[in-house]
Amino acid sequence: MIHVEDLSVAYGDLRALDDVSVDIEPGEFVTVVGPSGCGKTTLLRTIGGLESPTAGRVSVDGDPPEVAQADARLGFVFQDHTLLPWKTALENVTFLRRMAGKDPDPEGARELLATTGLDGFEDARPAELSGGMKQRVAIARAIHLGADVLLMDEPFGELDEITRDEMSVEILRLWRENRKTVVFVTHSVPEAVFLGDRCLVVAGSPASSGPAASTTGDGTPGRVVAEFDIDLPRPRDESVFGSEAFGRQVAQVRGALHDDA
């Protein structure tokens, strides 16, 4: 379980988050949606041990995030795929596992690449792959690490809308097969609704720039202003996008964002 209790994060006088509390169950897919600068990435990075709380506490299965990270229980997928350009797709997938001191599993990595639609691209380097293919490699790398928790920060942000939809379906299929705990940050309300078991709406307005577009002065620090259980059947595919239930839940989440704006 991920436990966040009374969390506040500040950078000097700049406050990014204030009084955030949330619990995320093992195997749950939780999306976090909100405007730029609201603190949602800071929340994700604090869960991952990349930022330190100013107040409150965060734990992953009872341990501090830094311990879970050192034990390779946390996997990260960022908007920038962070692939090593001199390594092949297969080598990029196995790299983190080797760095974590785990036994290499090249066959498992090949199977993951195949299930993400990259069969035949094992020896391709990042420069030879499209944006969507690079993100597939990054996702395969995080899963191959064997982490219990995947923290995903706008991994589809630079992709076109059609590729984003395809990648959303792909990540749900991989999640069903591996059943990791996923925390997924996005600007897109439809994406948040389509992917999540639960959607957290974060709001806040930046007053100045900072390490995470933090807030101070006439701005407001990020906080969870609404939470929605996503009542859509699983498994989900592209047909969900046109359903009345999907449109209704998208409208509810958008309404919570606009009500707080």
Side-chain angles (χ1 to χ4, degrees), residues 103-121:
D103 292 335
D105 182 15
E107 287 309 308
R110 287 181 184 275
E111 290 177 9
L112 267 174
L113 286 171
T115 61
T116 56
L118 291 174
D119 191 19
F121 289 90

Side-chain angles (χ1 to χ4, degrees), residues 31-35 164 186-196 199 201 230 241 246-255 257-258:
T31 55
V32 183
V33 67
R164 284 182 77 134
T186 179
H187 284 111
S188 168
V189 173
E191 191 170 79
V193 170
F194 178 73
L195 290 171
C199 177
V201 178
I230 304 302
F241 294 127
F246 177 76
R248 183 174 60 251
Q249 297 218 331
V250 167
Q252 289 175 340
V253 175
R254 279 192 173 135
L257 281 168
H258 292 308

Side-chain angles (χ1 to χ4, degrees), residues 173-206:
R173 185 179 63 79
L174 290 169
W175 173 72
R176 289 198 309 271
E177 292 176 358
N178 295 274
R179 209 62 182 188
K180 306 294 185 182
T181 305
V182 178
V183 186
F184 188 105
V185 164
T186 179
H187 284 111
S188 168
V189 173
E191 191 170 79
V193 170
F194 178 73
L195 290 171
D197 293 318
R198 192 159 42 114
C199 177
L200 306 179
V201 178
V202 177
S205 58

Side-chain angles (χ1 to χ4, degrees), residues 192-247:
V193 170
F194 178 73
L195 290 171
D197 293 318
R198 192 159 42 114
C199 177
L200 306 179
V201 178
V202 177
S205 58
S208 60
S209 61
S214 309
T215 62
T216 187
D218 58 350
T220 56
R223 65 197 189 284
V224 177
V225 297
E227 180 179 326
F228 295 90
D229 292 324
I230 304 302
D231 187 20
L232 295 171
R234 293 194 186 275
R236 299 172 193 164
D237 58 25
E238 292 95 333
S239 64
V240 170
F241 294 127
S243 70
E244 181 180 344
F246 177 76

Side-chain angles (χ1 to χ4, degrees), residues 1 40 68-69 95-96 135 150 154-155 161 183 185-186 198 210 222-223 225 235 239:
M1 171 187 281
K40 57 189 184 298
Q69 184 188 139
F95 175 72
L96 285 185
Q135 285 301 79
L150 294 182
E154 304 229 33
E161 186 173 357
V183 186
V185 164
T186 179
R198 192 159 42 114
R223 65 197 189 284
V225 297
S239 64

